[in-house]
Amino acid sequence: MDLDSVIENAPDAPAVFAVFPAEGQPYLARTALLRRRLRRLFSPNAKVFSLRDIAERIDYAATGSSLENSLTFYEWVKRYFPGDWQKRLRLRYPAWVKLILSNPFPRTQVTTKLSASEATFFGPFRTRASAEQFEAQMLDLFQIRRCVEELDPSPRHPGCIYGEMNSCLRPCQQIVSPDEYRSEVARVQAFLDTGGASQLASVAAARDYASSAMDFEEAQRQHKRHERIEQVLKLRDELARPINGLSGIAVLPATEPTTVRLQMMWQGFWQPAVDFPLTGAGQSMDARLRDAINGIAPSRQGPAERQEHCALLSQWFYSTFGHASGTDGVWVSFSKINEIPYRRLVRAVSSVSQSPAMRPTPPAET
């Protein structure tokens, strides 16, 4: 292979690349300017590090956005370094609020690990601190336990301050039966599964009933509780939702100026990307988007892959350019495939197509 020809023909644009030696593992990296980076690595005058004498092949994939760059690098690291790819990738896993349902007396915890155990996960949050704040404020709305011990209920159990404050049903002291405690857990699970909608609807109904019965004190109490629930829900970070509802489409700049890239996430799993042309004869953009999305057959993998995919989404979304209007892509969320907001998707495609990232880059000076 003529390495100098490969280097000079490489685009001076963001890319993931691998340099393969005659023996041993490849050199894998990401860069914002591929040609300039390769020139530096293969310079015959390099004082410290040069690959010129050992390289036999160069592979690269140009990328149009930081998310595409991260996803490509993730795939290549797993392909070329199956033994220690986690150490090389150094993914930062986001925080989740987890309702542990496998415990005889379920409780919540903040965790960065997704699992296949019986549990409800709500997130991802921007930081662990924001997840802990949401968890603490949410628990004030219910009466499930906050202790982490393995309970052995007994009337002689000393209890805790939350039980004295009427903030816990005190299953440890057998004040309630396991079934009664589970009914309160079910309310917490419904709260997380519906993003708070179940509690808002229940409290609003109770408020309206009290008002119609002329019980204005009770109506006022329920109204204050409704406001309290709304305040708790405002503590959610933008992406935070039940993990089975973590779905959306990232509309990204593409390497070709006449297309954008549609990268769908479904229930916490990235799906294969679709390159969507900006123009099409005889069809509206809405109709062409529906055809493109309908061509994706959503699939699921294991909890480890889900954790990694959610980490990549969180890293992109909560970064400087995440979900910014057109600079590095736009995130359009949805809960179910049949509820995709195509009007928002059309606007997102238009926004990304007009962003600076989609404008042709002038040739670099040599």
Side-chain angles (χ1 to χ4, degrees), residues 20 59 148 156 168 177 226 265 271-272 334 336 363:
F20 294 85
D59 287 351
V148 298
R156 295 184 296 276
C168 177
S177 68
H226 195 278
M265 170 167 277
Q271 307 300 314
F334 61 88
K336 300 177 181 177

Side-chain angles (χ1 to χ4, degrees), residues 6-318:
V6 171
I7 292 171
E8 293 309 312
N9 289 324
D12 217 18
V16 175
F17 69 95
V19 180
F20 294 85
E23 296 181 359
Q25 295 179 322
Y27 173 82
L28 181 63
R30 294 182 280 185
T31 180
L33 294 170
L34 178 61
R35 190 189 311 144
R36 187 175 71 176
R37 178 73 175 277
L38 291 177
R39 283 174 175 170
R40 187 183 306 130
L41 289 173
F42 285 83
S43 171
N45 300 319
K47 296 180 180 179
V48 179
F49 180 68
S50 176
L51 297 175
R52 178 170 290 274
D53 295 332
I54 62 173
E56 287 200 342
R57 188 175 100 241
I58 302 173
D59 287 351
Y60 64 83
T63 57
S65 65
S66 63
L67 179 58
E68 183 185 359
N69 195 282
S70 294
L71 289 171
T72 303
F73 189 71
Y74 166 72
E75 292 171 359
W76 284 31
V77 168
K78 292 187 75 172
R79 181 191 310 164
Y80 295 123
F81 303 98
D84 63 344
W85 68 267
Q86 292 98 336
K87 182 179 178 181
R88 293 174 180 272
L89 192 60
R90 291 180 295 182
L91 265 180
R92 181 177 177 272
Y93 297 123
W96 303 79
V97 173
K98 176 183 180 181
L99 177 61
I100 308 169
L101 298 172
S102 57
N103 193 290
F105 297 94
R107 61 180 178 85
T108 63
Q109 70 172 162
V110 173
T111 181
T112 58
K113 184 176 181 180
L114 298 178
S115 67
S117 61
E118 188 182 0
T120 293
F121 291 91
F122 190 88
F125 286 85
R126 186 184 297 270
T127 64
R128 189 181 187 90
S130 62
E132 290 173 345
Q133 182 184 25
F134 174 81
E135 179 198 31
Q137 297 296 317
M138 178 197 71
L139 289 177
D140 287 343
L141 302 173
F142 302 97
Q143 291 182 291
I144 67 169
R145 68 189 183 104
R146 306 188 190 207
C147 56
V148 298
E149 65 179 289
E150 291 299 321
L151 294 185
D152 183 16
S154 167
R156 295 184 296 276
H157 193 287
C160 69
I161 187 63
Y162 292 106
E164 298 298 326
M165 295 167 56
N166 249 354
S167 296
C168 177
L169 292 176
R170 295 190 284 179
C172 57
Q173 298 176 318
Q174 295 184 326
I175 302 300
V176 297
S177 68
D179 288 342
E180 288 173 318
Y181 182 79
R182 279 277 181 175
S183 69
E184 183 70 359
V185 171
R187 295 176 63 232
V188 178
Q189 184 175 4
F191 180 88
L192 293 175
D193 286 343
T194 63
S198 62
Q199 276 294 103
L200 287 174
S202 174
V203 172
R207 178 190 60 192
D208 295 344
Y209 177 81
S211 180
S212 64
M214 308 293 285
D215 187 351
F216 298 118
E217 288 187 4
E218 177 63 15
Q220 178 66 13
R221 190 179 74 83
Q222 294 295 342
H223 181 69
K224 287 186 177 297
R225 182 169 176 80
H226 195 278
E227 290 181 333
R228 174 68 182 136
I229 295 170
E230 289 180 326
Q231 291 172 359
V232 172
L233 293 176
K234 288 179 181 178
L235 297 175
R236 295 175 297 178
D237 288 333
E238 300 96 315
L239 276 179
R241 64 200 64 228
I243 192 166
N244 285 336
L246 185 57
S247 302
I249 298 173
V251 183
L252 307 170
T255 53
E256 295 293 330
T258 57
T259 65
V260 296
R261 172 160 283 216
L262 305 178
Q263 188 78 58
M264 177 191 282
M265 170 167 277
W266 180 71
Q267 297 187 355
F269 296 96
W270 287 116
Q271 307 300 314
V274 174
D275 288 326
F276 180 75
L278 295 173
T279 58
Q283 273 190 310
S284 66
M285 182 178 291
D286 183 283
R288 292 190 299 110
L289 278 170
R290 290 175 187 272
D291 289 343
I293 300 303
N294 289 336
I296 301 174
S299 62
R300 296 165 60 96
Q301 300 178 52
E305 288 78 12
R306 190 183 227 182
Q307 179 168 287
E308 295 151 13
H309 291 194
C310 289
L312 291 166
L313 170 65
S314 179
Q315 175 182 283
W316 169 72
F317 188 91
Y318 291 133

